Amino acid sequence: MDEDARTELASEVRDLVDPLVSRFSAGRARVRLGVNTAIHDDTAAELEAFARPLWGLAPLAAGGQAVPHAELWVQGLAHGSDPAHPEYWGEPVDHDQRIVEMAAIGFALALAPEQWWDPLSGPERDRLARWLLSALPRETSDNNWLFFPVLVGLALDRVGVPYDRSLITARLDRLETFWLGDGWYADGPTERRDYYVPWAMHFYGLLYDTLTGGDRFKDRAARFAGDFRHWFADDGAAVPYGRSLTYRWAQAAFWGALGFAGVDVLPWGEVKGYLLRHLRWWRGRPVAPDGLLSIGYGYPQPALAEQYNAPGSPYWSFKAYLALALPEQHAFWTAKEEPAPLLPAVSAQPHAGAVLMRAHGDVTLLAGRQHHPWVRHGAEKYAKFAYSTRFGFSLPNGTLGLEQGAYDSMLALSDDGGAHYRVREEPAAHYVSADTVLSTWHPWPDVEITTWLSAAAPWHVRTHRIRTARALHTAEGGFAVDRDAGTDRAVGPGYARVSAPAGLTGLRDLDGRRVGEVVDCLPGTNVLARRTALPVLIGQLPPGEHWLRCAVLGAPDGSEAEAAWREAPAFTHPTTLAHPPTTAHPTTGDGT
């Protein structure tokens, strides 16, 4: 039995909870962590900070381990659900953030009612039940939010409170329409297939099956596991991609949920390894400089926040600790942790519109279909060409020039001489073959670009067919690398390269027409490194049709990377690459 791992995870939960204690309000129903700049009101934000730690505390209780400061949450549940108390949370309305946090409370009550329900008096239970019931008829966002009333229903079932079950059935039926097959969901009727698939759609489905004794969702999760393991590097890092990255190690919550639900699809030592390596990768990173989890990814970075991120949002990370609900004799804990397995160098995942490439233990995701224009920096979070476990990706820190734009893994185009740039925001006409992602995009109505992204580990090859009615200044970026420990730079006709202790990154123009430069991006743009250097290829195009081709390298610094840099992959003309069919592409179908 790996009791050390189980004890270590429990200690992490307690260590993360301890700094919250001094932030509780007098009535214990609010946790005040800082200034709320989210789109929801302050009461909902303070409820969020109160409720989200329960994702980690409830598994502790269910697993028979001591729960720190449990009485604070008992008092908060009594007062926050009492309309006569000054700290009342308020009744939810349609699409209310309160419904999200009611699901966290529902999860805690369903998993460990003896910890938070049984200590309440009769009138306190009645008020809490009435407040939870008020969520069921409310409309939610048409995506993973549909699961939140379902989780509330699980709590009401566990504590014996009757409710209209048709309200739950309707949500489950609607969720069925998001199923794509092969283990994949969409997050609503959208192009999004990011971490909300594992940490929400599958996570909640596995909770539902386990707590109801059903098997509606388990097979789907088993099928998803084979694809999802390709998203993790050998050192445990997950590809930073998509929205809500401030939830950090919730990226690995799926692996604990597999254990919780008893989905025996991979060896338990392998599943356990994905979770534990990921949690170890996060340790020591400056994500909680004052003891409180910050908004950001690799460090406090408020610019990464979505509109719905309040100070308590990062505590959704606690979903990664669900395995603590398992008894110490469970196979998840008794199995010996296995190292990262040897996986194929390339994994094509059409439902995600992605090809994942593995080299030197790192993972690069080549992206071609997803987009989300509503969220802040949606183009950067979804529509860059490549996302790396080693190099992350960057966000703009201004609107002028390459330094402010930090256009890593993008083809940036300007029609005003390089002052303002446009990039791929909403890919269309997407297609995935065995090693290539194709998409078409329009930075202006009179500019059409078709882009092929092809895996050639440790390189990837980019090909762009550009049809433009206007003259364009172009800048194509490789990966951005941490420059704080010093860099070695080389630029010239047709190439740009930067090496540093954090890695080597560079581009070779396969036609030799562009010129290389290295840009020092503004601080705070990259999600992993505070200050970065970015190799770019610069060129100019008159109106007409043009082809741009380059090979991009990202690797650990060292002799292997230097050898790889000297030999760029041979270019394959795009007419021999996968082309989108004229009708439906292979990412459709219900798969049931």
Side-chain angles (χ1 to χ4, degrees):
M1 178 185 65
D2 191 354
E3 181 63 20
D4 288 343
R6 190 168 182 265
T7 300
E8 195 168 9
L9 265 61
S11 295
E12 282 188 15
V13 173
R14 296 187 185 101
D15 290 345
L16 288 165
V17 165
D18 281 345
L20 299 175
V21 173
S22 64
R23 303 302 184 109
F24 272 80
S25 60
R28 311 307 193 197
R30 314 281 182 89
V31 175
R32 293 166 176 150
L33 301 182
V35 177
N36 170 38
T37 58
I39 54 178
H40 47 269
D41 60 74
D42 290 351
T43 297
E46 292 167 0
L47 166 61
E48 176 182 83
F50 169 90
R52 293 200 175 182
L54 292 170
W55 290 108
L57 293 174
L60 270 183
Q65 301 195 62
V67 178
H69 315 291
E71 71 283 354
L72 297 178
W73 277 271
V74 173
Q75 295 172 40
L77 289 172
H79 296 152
S81 59
D82 182 357
H85 196 279
E87 294 188 10
Y88 177 52
W89 293 316
E91 187 165 320
V93 298
D94 292 345
H95 306 283
D96 198 324
Q97 183 69 27
R98 287 163 180 79
I99 301 171
V100 181
E101 314 318 327
M102 293 164 109
I105 292 170
F107 163 75
L109 296 178
L111 213 59
E114 67 282 352
Q115 188 75 62
W116 289 290
W117 177 264
D118 293 354
L120 298 175
S121 68
E124 289 170 340
R125 294 179 189 177
D126 290 343
R127 286 192 290 268
L128 179 55
R130 186 210 62 81
W131 183 71
L132 291 171
L133 284 164
S134 70
L136 299 188
R138 299 303 180 193
E139 290 189 11
T140 66
S141 298
D142 192 25
N143 55 17
N144 70 89
W145 275 47
L146 291 161
F147 262 118
F148 297 144
V150 175
L151 298 185
V152 171
L154 291 176
L156 298 172
D157 285 336
R158 184 69 188 272
V159 300
V161 175
Y163 60 92
D164 182 355
R165 294 184 177 275
S166 69
L167 297 172
I168 303 303
T169 300
R171 267 56 180 257
L172 292 171
D173 289 346
R174 177 58 178 164
L175 285 162
E176 288 292 332
T177 68
F178 305 151
W179 172 243
L180 302 172
D182 306 315
W184 284 89
Y185 291 90
D187 185 21
T190 72
E191 285 295 330
R192 295 191 298 279
R193 298 104 164 87
D194 56 7
Y195 283 106
Y196 277 85
V197 177
W199 74 30
M201 306 297 280
H202 281 302
F203 187 91
Y204 302 141
L206 291 173
L207 282 178
Y208 181 83
D209 272 357
T210 305
L211 296 177
T212 62
D215 58 3
R216 182 171 188 167
F217 299 102
K218 289 181 180 179
D219 179 65
R220 296 176 181 182
R223 294 162 72 182
F224 179 74
D227 274 358
F228 191 47
R229 59 184 178 166
H230 290 276
W231 291 56
F232 291 82
D234 288 357
D235 64 359
V239 179
Y241 175 75
R243 67 187 178 105
S244 299
L245 290 177
T246 199
Y247 302 159
R248 294 188 174 100
W249 48 93
Q251 289 170 318
F254 173 80
W255 302 114
L258 279 185
F260 178 76
V263 179
D264 192 6
V265 60
L266 298 172
W268 286 120
E270 181 179 341
V271 173
K272 180 178 178 180
Y274 292 128
L275 175 63
L276 297 185
R277 281 192 301 276
H278 185 69
L279 292 173
R280 285 195 290 267
W281 184 85
W282 281 104
R283 288 175 193 157
R285 296 184 183 274
V287 299
D290 57 357
L292 302 173
L293 291 179
S294 61
I295 297 289
Y297 191 66
Y299 59 95
Q301 189 185 21
L304 186 69
E306 273 76 39
Q307 297 92 312
Y308 49 81
N309 286 155
S313 291
Y315 287 88
W316 220 318
S317 300
F318 277 43
K319 293 169 83 172
Y321 300 108
L322 179 59
L324 289 171
L326 298 171
E328 61 186 16
Q329 299 84 12
H330 191 279
F332 184 91
W333 297 118
T334 58
K336 181 180 179 181
E337 178 188 346
E338 295 180 10
L342 182 63
L343 296 174
V346 177
S347 172
Q349 299 187 6
H351 291 295
V355 167
L356 288 104
M357 183 180 76
R358 183 176 299 270
H360 307 298
D362 299 331
V363 175
T364 300
L365 183 152
L366 305 179
R369 77 172 291 169
Q370 298 190 51
H371 55 83
H372 196 351
W374 178 75
V375 300
R376 184 180 294 137
H377 300 307
E380 289 73 26
K381 293 170 181 176
Y382 287 95
K384 285 180 182 279
F385 301 143
Y387 297 82
S388 166
T389 55
R390 175 169 294 274
F391 300 102
F393 69 93
S394 301
L395 309 168
N397 204 353
T399 59
L400 290 175
L402 300 180
E403 293 83 1
Q404 293 184 10
Y407 298 114
D408 60 344
S409 298
M410 282 183 162
L411 176 62
L413 305 115
S414 171
D415 66 352
D416 62 2
H420 302 87
Y421 287 86
R422 296 190 183 190
V423 296
R424 186 173 72 168
E425 294 181 348
E426 297 188 25
H430 38 74
Y431 184 74
V432 176
S433 70
D435 62 0
T436 298
V437 181
L438 178 151
S439 69
T440 298
W441 47 291
H442 296 83
W444 290 271
D446 59 355
V447 177
E448 179 186 87
I449 302 177
T450 299
T451 293
W452 291 259
L453 305 171
S454 301
W459 297 79
H460 69 272
V461 178
R462 305 176 190 166
T463 304
H464 312 285
R465 184 186 65 197
I466 302 172
R467 293 169 172 167
T468 176
R470 62 183 71 197
L472 296 172
H473 184 98
T474 71
E476 184 159 6
F479 296 108
V481 63
D482 190 337
R483 70 175 192 255
D484 273 355
T487 61
D488 178 60
R489 309 174 182 208
V491 299
Y495 71 93
R497 169 190 162 272
V498 183
S499 62
L504 183 152
T505 175
L507 309 91
R508 288 194 181 277
D509 184 18
L510 296 177
D511 297 306
R513 293 197 298 263
R514 289 179 283 180
V515 176
E517 292 185 9
V518 174
V519 175
D520 284 339
C521 302
L522 289 191
T525 49
N526 187 268
V527 300
L528 291 178
R530 293 171 294 165
R531 286 169 286 273
T532 59
L534 173 64
V536 297
L537 295 174
I538 302 295
Q540 297 183 22
L541 303 175
E545 179 173 300
H546 308 274
W547 292 84
L548 298 179
R549 312 167 176 93
C550 69
V552 183
L553 177 66
D557 192 34
S559 58
E560 286 189 54
E562 293 291 348
W565 172 252
R566 290 191 291 271
E567 295 188 20
F571 172 68
T572 302
H573 194 276
T575 57
T576 68
L577 298 176
H579 229 282
T582 56
T583 57
H585 50 75
T587 59
T588 58
D590 61 16
T592 56

